[in-house]
Amino acid sequence: MTDATAHLARHLADLQTWDSEADDTLVCTAVVDETHDVRTFVFEPPEPRRFAYRPGQFLTFEFALPSGPVNRCYTISSSPLRPHTVAITVKRVPNGPVSNWLHDHCAPGTAVKAIGPMGEFSCLDDPAPKYLFLSGGSGITPLMAMSRAFADLGRPVDVVFVHAARTPGDIVFRAELDLIARRLPGFRVAHLPERAGGEAGWAGPLGRLSAEFLALVAPDFKERSVWCCGPEPFMNAARSLLGALGHDPRLYHQESFDFAKLASAEPEVAAEVLDAEAAEAAAVPTYDVTFTKLGQTVKVRADQFILAAARDQGVRLAASCTEGLCGTCKAKIVSGTVDMSHKGGIRKKEVDQGLFLPCCSKPKSDLVVDR
Amino acid sequence: MLDTTSVSPRALLARRKPGFSLEQAFYTSQEIFDLDLEAIFFRTWIYVGVEPDVPDEGDVMVVDIGRASVLILRDDDGEIRAFHNVCRHRGARIVHDEKSSVGKLVCKYHAWTYDLDGKLLRAEHMGADFDTSCHGLKPVHLKSVEGLLFICLADEAPADIDDLAEKMGPYLKPHAIRDTKVAHQVDLIELGNWKITMENNRECYHCAGNHPELTIPLFEYGFGFSPESMDETKAKEAHRYECMVDDLHGEWEGSGFPSKEIDHLDDRVTGFRTQRLPIDRAGESQTLDTKVASTKLLGELTEAKMGGLSFWTQPNSWHHFMSDHIVTFSVIPLSPDRTLLRTKWLVHKDAVEGVDYDLKRLTEVWIATNDQDGTLVGYQHSGVKSPAYEPGPYSPYTEGLVEKFVNWYCLRLADHLG
Ligand SMILES: Cc1cc2nc3c(=O)[nH]c(=O)nc-3n(C[C@H](O)[C@H](O)[C@H](O)COP(=O)(O)OP(=O)(O)OC[C@H]3O[C@@H](n4cnc5c(N)ncnc54)[C@H](O)[C@@H]3O)c2cc1C
Ligand code: FES
Ligand SMILES: [Fe+2]
């Protein structure tokens, strides 16, 4: 048997459901390019498990960035009817620390931590005979999960799937959506690029969401339960357009990927994320790190690098490489202990004398530093 | 009185009278001081310290010679290396303390980070095309002679250091310099030209009158004497010394410790001289009671009465190796009239202060002697500046080795001037 086959055999045994409270580790198994700046990352637990979630739900991840652990939410884009893996589909955000780290460093074998699933943005929570899915950019992910679930069952549906993108080249899941539309009775797709940019012979509509466009792709939109996800301006425009055209606001659902916005619109969802993060963080103790010369004390979690955490809290410490190579950040421990993983920036002799490198050390107790 | 201020160094050298001290300008002129650095200190092998100055990986010592600053360090493989202490970015000095311990060498200015093998590891903001491999620290020639560190700042270093190392190896080995530690170091600034410091060291004519402590263990006769000008007691002493040398050399050489004189002070570029000298009274060490100062003997030595192995190098060092400790001296010119004399006392690396040795007993003879010599150097320099100074004659008996030092110096200068 080949490795893949052996692996498949393990998955076909009786599987327990994945429980992030028992084991929150996920391992990347595949990375797929969707567009020039969107990638899908497929994960499974270290031991085969089944994922149980409603399409549209998300996971809260903790990524071990070089600067320390960072939390972000990502919607599961894969189908819950294919429960052996979960996939997230991530768009690069210019200068975004996490999305870029995922694109540049997450590869098969990379372990991440995740908790969930959580979230209320699922058509399951408000069943309706007809749907209008409105998606913009990376907001396609929850709607894709729902569509894939329908497609996996194969029963006729009434879904109009609208995806707004900058150019045809930015349409995520283009081929797969077209395939679903061909095979699933009642599933229609309307791609809406803003401009033709790059693709010669684009035959479909161009521009932004408008009354004319709606009249064209879903003349019965007033009867449809609307599920909208995308950039804030996109969702704002969609919502006011529908309102102005007399669509019943009770049939309108949206989800924001901006966590602050999500928190104000859907406090219960945000609370769920924060609770989960807090539970996660509670497992990791937080220590007081005091810098005697600066006269400042900061809180540093046992899984954070002291220098990065101090900087986040406004304490400026001299440093250069921030990876334990140059020794610029060297400081003396007055009391307490740390867990240091340097790259030669400090000598054993110096460590014996109580020196350490805050850039690559995590606290193991409260700490007093002569700085 | 000779007016030498307008005469070129070449002409001064040409008219130098053998057997006489140098003309005034050699001791006082800035021009000749600068020339000394170029012709001697930047071209020949200079003694700068010992391997135990950098005992562990990452230990760094800075030695400044004139406008040059040199890093001597032990790399991660335990290898000793020397580099110019100059950042390849904008030239800042990298290490500032005489002794330190580092993980990497990091220039404080812009944090260019070098590995201990001199490779540039990291330079932020230099762009993707920047080739770090062309910007490593510049190496300096380094030769460890049984643990004594010599550097040479010339592009091409005199090759005869290898011969020196080969000849000196058997003499130095028993004292196991690499297995010692620096128990004490004193930096003394003498108010005189560096050549005056060296000349002072190369004779013991002045010993009886100035060194009450040193002459307890050390015989003044070890560096020559004139039999006819001595009274009966002195003649008897000198004879006793000569018999002692004969006996002890036979004894030492017989048990595998080379002791006989080798003198290449002025017949080669890397000039040196060695001889194992008897020690008076208890015969053990250069201490006030002539007994060992450290009860932990060096290396594999089991016999305390090993005399004092004297080793000199041109232009800037002398050393005394005893059974229990080593005293090493390095001379570095600072200005025409200021000279650094750096003295280090080494004991067995496992010797514990207060248990195996007492620091005061270990160091008191040479602290007193250096102090006395420093005063004498100052006396000579202040007199040499005077308009009345003119070169005086060396004693053919007790100042022959001074003449050899001066002769070597003049040969090196002549060689440089071409
Ligand atoms: C419920 C939910 C589901 C989501 N699902 C998806 C999905 O399926 N696909 C998807 O691509 N995205 C999704 N997101 C968005 C995702 O969580 C990230 O916000 C997005 O990937 C960008 O993250 P980032 O770290 O790269 O940039 P951001 O965090 O957005 O950063 C943007 C800018 O803010 C600054 N910034 C923000 N936080 C920090 C910080 N901690 N430290 C320093 N600078 C900071 C950065 O300078 C950057 O320029 C979802 C969000 C939510 C709330
Ligand atoms: S900043 Fe370079 S070692 Fe910490
Ligand atoms: Fe003297």
Side-chain angles (χ1 to χ4, degrees):
Chain A
M1 273 202 290
T2 65
D3 274 358
T5 318
H7 195 72
L8 178 59
R10 290 177 62 212
H11 269 278
L12 291 176
D14 266 351
L15 288 191
Q16 287 170 267
T17 306
W18 182 69
D19 175 3
S20 66
E21 273 167 30
D23 182 14
D24 57 4
T25 305
L26 295 179
V27 181
C28 179
T29 63
V31 179
V32 181
D33 282 335
E34 304 289 358
T35 71
H36 63 98
D37 66 349
V38 176
R39 270 188 186 162
T40 292
F41 302 87
V42 183
F43 295 97
E44 64 176 21
E47 284 304 310
R49 292 280 183 276
R50 273 166 191 278
F51 292 92
Y53 57 97
R54 283 167 289 148
Q57 283 198 297
F58 60 90
L59 297 172
T60 297
F61 289 84
E62 184 190 287
F63 301 103
L65 263 53
S67 55
V70 182
N71 289 291
R72 289 285 186 278
C73 306
Y74 288 99
T75 307
I76 304 171
S77 57
S78 50
S79 165
L81 293 162
R82 302 185 184 190
H84 296 256
T85 59
V86 282
I88 60 172
T89 302
V90 179
K91 190 179 174 70
R92 273 189 198 269
V93 172
N95 299 319
V98 175
S99 54
N100 288 289
W101 178 84
L102 278 165
H103 274 251
D104 299 334
H105 299 290
C106 185
T110 303
V112 301
K113 291 192 161 193
I115 36 185
M118 56 187 95
E120 320 275 285
F121 188 71
S122 174
C123 58
L124 254 60
D125 291 334
D126 186 12
K130 296 180 175 189
Y131 295 106
L132 172 60
F133 292 171
L134 294 178
S135 65
S138 62
I140 194 170
T141 52
L143 304 162
M144 189 65 186
M146 298 178 215
S147 303
R148 280 172 163 164
F150 288 138
D152 283 340
L153 290 173
R155 286 160 62 111
V157 293
D158 192 342
V159 174
V160 175
F161 193 112
V162 174
H163 180 56
R166 243 172 281 134
T167 71
D170 290 304
I171 300 169
V172 190
F173 307 131
R174 179 172 167 184
E176 190 180 343
L177 281 168
D178 290 344
L179 184 67
I180 294 176
R182 262 215 317 278
R183 303 183 46 161
L184 185 65
F187 189 90
R188 282 170 290 153
V189 174
H191 303 298
L192 181 59
E194 220 174 311
R195 53 193 163 81
E199 184 162 312
W202 174 256
L206 287 174
R208 296 194 166 183
L209 217 54
S210 63
E212 297 71 35
F213 177 78
L214 278 182
L216 195 68
V217 302
D220 56 349
F221 67 87
K222 282 190 197 166
E223 296 155 34
R224 291 180 181 268
S225 167
V226 176
W227 293 78
C228 181
C229 184
E232 292 306 316
F234 171 82
M235 292 194 294
N236 294 343
R239 186 181 207 154
S240 50
L241 175 67
L242 288 166
L245 297 175
H247 184 259
D248 181 350
R250 282 172 301 173
L251 291 180
Y252 179 85
H253 312 267
Q254 73 170 34
E255 174 151 84
S256 176
F257 278 1
D258 179 328
F259 191 75
K261 291 258 163 43
L262 180 78
S264 62
E266 277 182 82
E268 4 17 286
V269 177
E272 200 182 352
V273 175
L274 292 176
D275 283 355
E277 271 181 23
E280 165 100 329
V284 183
T286 299
Y287 297 112
D288 279 348
V289 178
T290 304
F291 300 96
T292 52
K293 293 210 182 89
L294 297 167
Q296 279 175 295
T297 299
V298 296
K299 299 251 179 238
V300 185
R301 274 173 31 198
D303 58 0
Q304 286 179 304
F305 289 124
I306 293 163
L307 182 91
R311 285 189 158 183
D312 279 353
Q313 292 168 66
V315 177
R316 308 310 297 177
L317 294 174
S320 176
C321 71
T322 68
E323 53 175 342
L325 177 72
C326 72
T328 306
C329 63
K330 203 177 293 168
K332 194 172 177 73
I333 300 179
V334 180
S335 68
T337 51
V338 297
D339 178 13
M340 176 162 66
S341 58
H342 65 86
K343 291 188 182 163
I346 191 164
R347 292 274 149 201
K348 192 187 165 298
K349 188 154 114 176
E350 297 174 290
V351 177
D352 294 344
Q353 290 161 7
L355 296 169
F356 82 120
L357 301 175
C359 72
C360 56
S361 299
K362 298 170 181 173
K364 290 209 290 191
S365 71
D366 283 346
L367 211 61
V368 179
V369 180
D370 185 25
R371 257 285 167 101
Chain B
M1 185 197 124
L2 292 162
D3 176 19
T4 57
T5 47
S6 57
V7 185
S8 77
R10 208 186 298 261
L12 283 173
L13 265 188
R15 73 187 193 196
R16 188 229 156 194
K17 250 204 297 187
F20 281 77
S21 61
L22 294 165
E23 286 192 46
Q24 183 180 64
F26 283 107
Y27 301 113
T28 59
S29 116
Q30 182 69 45
E31 186 192 351
I32 291 189
F33 177 80
D34 294 342
L35 186 62
D36 285 358
L37 285 179
E38 297 301 326
I40 311 277
F41 283 83
F42 293 166
R43 296 228 309 175
T44 64
W45 287 96
I46 303 302
Y47 168 72
V48 290
V50 290
E51 287 198 25
D53 275 313
V54 284
D56 297 326
E57 285 82 4
D59 287 348
V60 184
M61 171 168 70
V62 176
V63 177
D64 293 343
I65 298 179
R67 57 197 161 83
S69 181
V70 178
L71 295 175
I72 291 163
L73 57 83
R74 193 178 289 266
D75 72 13
D76 293 306
D77 300 325
E79 215 52 49
I80 305 217
R81 295 168 180 269
F83 298 102
H84 283 280
N85 187 12
V86 178
C87 183
R88 294 296 307 277
H89 178 215
R90 276 162 54 192
R93 277 202 181 186
I94 299 170
V95 183
H96 307 274
D97 296 340
E98 200 223 323
K99 293 264 183 93
S100 58
S101 195
V102 302
K104 307 284 168 201
L105 292 164
V106 186
C107 176
K108 297 251 184 339
Y109 204 172
H110 304 92
W112 279 34
T113 302
Y114 302 87
D115 213 339
L116 299 186
D117 61 6
K119 227 177 28 235
L120 178 62
L121 286 178
R122 196 178 159 280
E124 226 183 347
H125 305 301
M126 294 304 293
D129 296 338
F130 179 67
D131 188 355
T132 48
S133 67
C134 317
H135 293 86
L137 293 178
K138 292 193 173 169
V140 169
H141 299 287
L142 179 121
K143 176 87 186 178
S144 173
V145 178
E146 294 298 324
L148 300 178
L149 300 177
F150 293 82
I151 60 168
C152 179
L153 290 155
D155 291 340
E156 261 186 65
D160 57 359
I161 187 82
D162 289 333
D163 180 56
L164 175 152
E166 200 186 306
K167 290 202 165 68
M168 285 308 299
Y171 283 80
L172 297 173
K173 230 184 205 85
H175 300 273
I177 302 157
R178 292 188 177 95
D179 291 330
T180 63
K181 64 174 176 186
V182 180
H184 195 60
Q185 172 170 329
V186 171
D187 282 0
L188 182 71
I189 292 177
E190 298 189 341
L191 300 181
N193 187 271
W194 70 276
K195 294 186 288 289
I196 294 181
T197 297
M198 292 308 298
E199 290 173 19
N200 166 271
N201 166 259
R202 303 275 134 124
E203 46 94 359
C204 217
Y205 191 171
H206 71 277
C207 286
N210 292 280
H211 296 320
E213 295 85 1
L214 182 65
T215 46
I216 294 173
L218 194 89
F219 290 93
E220 56 174 307
Y221 311 109
F223 308 90
F225 56 89
S226 155
E228 62 261 36
S229 64
M230 296 195 301
D231 61 27
E232 208 177 316
T233 356
K234 279 194 165 176
K236 247 168 69 189
E237 266 292 280
H239 181 68
R240 179 168 79 88
Y241 173 74
E242 287 192 307
C243 296
M244 230 171 141
V245 171
D246 273 357
D247 291 354
L248 287 172
H249 274 191
E251 207 174 288
W252 288 328
E253 299 238 335
S255 47
F257 299 101
S259 306
K260 293 217 157 23
E261 180 182 358
I262 304 178
D263 181 345
H264 284 299
L265 282 175
D266 62 353
D267 58 1
R268 39 186 284 162
V269 179
T270 306
F272 71 100
R273 176 182 188 271
T274 193
Q275 184 183 15
R276 197 175 285 277
L277 305 171
I279 284 177
D280 208 355
R281 295 157 226 263
E284 295 180 357
S285 200
Q286 290 175 358
T287 55
L288 287 185
D289 63 3
T290 65
K291 290 215 165 70
V292 288
S294 173
T295 51
K296 220 171 200 84
L297 297 189
L298 302 178
E300 309 279 284
L301 294 177
T302 48
E303 170 57 53
K305 286 191 186 181
M306 294 303 305
L309 175 72
S310 154
F311 174 44
W312 298 355
T313 68
Q314 310 287 40
N316 82 321
S317 85
W318 63 91
H319 318 258
H320 295 279
F321 299 82
M322 282 139 311
S323 62
D324 65 324
H325 79 276
I326 299 166
V327 197
T328 113
F329 305 80
S330 156
V331 170
I332 293 174
L334 301 177
S335 66
D337 55 4
R338 285 170 72 250
T339 300
L340 173 67
L341 172 66
R342 177 165 285 170
T343 309
K344 298 177 203 261
W345 285 262
L346 316 179
V347 294
H348 193 287
K349 66 177 181 337
D350 299 331
V352 179
E353 189 184 338
V355 178
D356 301 306
Y357 67 95
D358 171 67
L359 198 60
K360 182 172 176 291
R361 277 199 64 223
L362 180 75
T363 56
E364 62 196 342
V365 166
W366 275 105
I367 285 181
T369 304
N370 281 347
D371 203 44
Q372 291 146 6
D373 282 330
T375 305
L376 299 173
V377 165
Y379 287 170
Q380 183 179 342
H381 192 92
S382 48
V384 161
K385 280 193 304 198
S386 151
Y389 171 71
E390 63 181 287
Y394 292 138
S395 150
Y397 296 105
T398 59
E399 290 173 328
L401 301 175
V402 182
E403 166 64 14
K404 282 191 175 175
F405 167 73
V406 173
N407 194 40
W408 177 88
Y409 163 79
C410 291
L411 287 169
R412 304 277 38 89
L413 223 54
D415 183 57
H416 180 75
L417 292 172

